[in-house]
Amino acid sequence: MRVLGVDPGLTRCGVGVVEGVAGRPLTMVGVGVVRTPSDAELGHRLVAIEQGIERWLDEHRPEYVAVERVFAQHNVRTVMGTAQASAVAMLCASRRGIPVALHTPSEVKAAVTGSGRAEKAQVGAMVTRLLRLDAPPKPADAADALALAICHIWRAPAQNRLQQAVAAHRTLKGRTA
């Protein structure tokens, strides 16, 4: 399974591609950041993010895209920018028919470190260890993107089984009604 993880942001949008299956060693295929100037017009920034993500999709051909689910913060401006960048990533993947999964920050931290309250440094350290890298990817947005991809690879099989069970239950329930 090849997954593009996206840590959305208007100034720095982390992107990372991981390949592998749950229970086996994973491989980092690529990692980076799509950057936009903070003084640029919002529309131009969103187009730059779209172009950057499209390049990653073209180059790495992921089977899935995992995006960090936007969560409420006190700073509405920050959460709006994150949500807009997130929407661009989902649009790029969906336009190509690539399934998109959303994972919360605490879900990603728990999957990678064992604790949903882990600090950024802990996430970076575990990503480094899990992918057998020489050093944590910089900036933290890049490490977070890899963590999203790892989380998806590890959680997708269980999520798929759960979705299949729910669908089967609904089908069964529909027959008895």
Side-chain angles (χ1 to χ4, degrees), residues 76-165:
V76 174
R77 186 176 173 157
T78 300
V79 88
M80 286 299 295
T82 302
Q84 290 161 334
S86 176
V88 169
M90 290 187 284
L91 173 69
C92 290
S94 296
R95 184 186 294 140
R96 293 171 181 241
I98 301 170
V100 176
L102 300 175
H103 299 283
T104 66
S106 59
E107 179 184 355
V108 173
K109 291 174 185 179
V112 174
T113 71
S115 170
R117 295 176 178 247
E119 299 291 326
K120 284 223 182 254
Q122 290 173 287
V123 173
M126 284 306 296
V127 165
T128 302
R129 188 173 181 188
L130 293 167
L131 297 175
R132 300 169 313 285
L133 306 175
D134 294 331
K138 300 279 185 201
D141 309 275
D144 290 347
L146 292 170
L148 276 151
I150 292 167
C151 174
H152 187 73
I153 289 170
W154 286 353
R155 293 188 172 220
Q159 288 173 338
N160 290 343
R161 286 192 302 274
L162 181 62
Q163 289 170 348
Q164 289 169 351

Side-chain angles (χ1 to χ4, degrees), residues 4-173:
L4 170 66
V6 179
D7 181 37
L10 275 180
T11 304
R12 288 182 320 274
C13 183
V15 287
V17 180
V18 176
E19 192 168 68
V21 294
R24 304 267 170 134
L26 303 174
T27 303
M28 181 186 77
V29 177
V31 66
V33 178
V34 176
R35 297 179 187 273
T36 68
S38 59
D39 59 348
E41 184 181 311
L42 176 62
H44 291 113
R45 294 175 83 183
L46 295 173
V47 168
I49 291 168
E50 178 200 23
Q51 291 169 342
I53 291 173
E54 289 289 350
R55 280 192 299 274
W56 277 82
L57 292 172
D58 286 341
E59 183 177 344
H60 297 289
R61 305 258 181 239
E63 299 164 74
Y64 299 91
V65 173
V67 180
E68 183 175 276
R69 183 183 298 273
V70 179
F71 60 97
Q73 291 179 330
H74 296 295
N75 187 339
V76 174
R77 186 176 173 157
T78 300
V79 88
M80 286 299 295
T82 302
Q84 290 161 334
S86 176
V88 169
M90 290 187 284
L91 173 69
C92 290
S94 296
R95 184 186 294 140
R96 293 171 181 241
I98 301 170
V100 176
L102 300 175
H103 299 283
T104 66
S106 59
E107 179 184 355
V108 173
K109 291 174 185 179
V112 174
T113 71
S115 170
R117 295 176 178 247
E119 299 291 326
K120 284 223 182 254
Q122 290 173 287
V123 173
M126 284 306 296
V127 165
T128 302
R129 188 173 181 188
L130 293 167
L131 297 175
R132 300 169 313 285
L133 306 175
D134 294 331
K138 300 279 185 201
D141 309 275
D144 290 347
L146 292 170
L148 276 151
I150 292 167
C151 174
H152 187 73
I153 289 170
W154 286 353
R155 293 188 172 220
Q159 288 173 338
N160 290 343
R161 286 192 302 274
L162 181 62
Q163 289 170 348
Q164 289 169 351
V166 168
H169 176 73
R170 285 186 181 144
T171 301
L172 224 83
K173 194 175 179 182

